[in-house]
Amino acid sequence: TDSDGGKKSSQLTAGLLDVLDKCCQKVSEAYLQEQTATVGFTNLDSEDNTGDMLIDSCESINDMMEIRLLELSQAHDLIESVLSSLNDALLVIDLSGQIYSFNRAACQLLSIASENLLGMTFSDLLTGDDFKQIKEQMSQHDSLHDLFINVQTPEDELIPVLANFSRQEKYKDRIIAVM
């Protein structure tokens, strides 16, 4: 659900900020130890404000990371909203057929609950050697258009669909299937 996604994003953001804060603390400590060793500081409360400057830098980095994480979270929410509103079924799979992502329309077309679809492979949904043929063609082309395939529901009903396949630009081992 949307609220679950929001909670997960918030938890992820909070976790990343904790990690960043700990990293900044470790860097600060290591830097101060290095400065103490190389310059011979015995009193870090002296007039040298290196420690304060480093802490300020970490706080600035932390602020920038918070802003970036918020932007990423908002972009993720927008993409999820667009994908969920599509009427076309969308699956993201890898070259072995493992399903990584999908939208609501895919669940409806396939008559499969989202929690069950995530653990399946694309070949589980096809008949015969269809996936093998798609995989072979995708190894030679970046996309396939208007390919008729039969998708099999859990009730063994065959649904003929017109499908398009394309590789994700950034992750060449991922394929987007739109039906």
Side-chain angles (χ1 to χ4, degrees), residues 35 40 42 64 66-67 74 78 82 112 127 135 146 164 177:
Q35 288 299 313
T42 55
M64 288 186 293
E66 272 187 51
I67 291 168
Q74 290 170 343
L78 175 64
V82 169
I112 299 174
T127 58
K135 187 174 161 179
D146 301 330
N164 295 298

Side-chain angles (χ1 to χ4, degrees), residues 5-23 62 65-70 73:
K7 288 179 191 173
K8 289 179 184 174
S9 291
S10 296
Q11 291 170 343
L12 176 64
T13 301
L16 289 173
L17 290 175
D18 281 345
V19 169
L20 179 62
D21 191 44
K22 288 177 184 173
C23 287
N62 194 14
M65 289 298 296
E66 272 187 51
I67 291 168
R68 185 65 182 137
L69 286 171
L70 179 61
S73 176

Side-chain angles (χ1 to χ4, degrees), residues 46-108:
S46 67
E47 293 183 24
D48 180 27
N49 62 358
T50 305
D52 291 337
M53 289 175 20
L54 192 56
I55 290 169
D56 290 344
S57 294
C58 284
E59 287 173 357
S60 295
I61 291 170
N62 194 14
D63 291 343
M64 288 186 293
M65 289 298 296
E66 272 187 51
I67 291 168
R68 185 65 182 137
L69 286 171
L70 179 61
E71 291 170 351
L72 287 172
S73 176
Q74 290 170 343
H76 179 265
D77 291 347
L78 175 64
I79 290 169
E80 287 294 319
S81 175
V82 169
L83 291 178
S84 68
S85 66
L86 286 176
N87 289 327
D88 292 329
L90 182 128
L91 297 169
V92 178
I93 59 176
D94 67 12
L95 293 176
S96 70
Q98 183 65 45
I99 297 172
Y100 281 88
S101 186
F102 51 87
N103 66 354
R104 177 187 43 79
C107 294
Q108 291 173 342

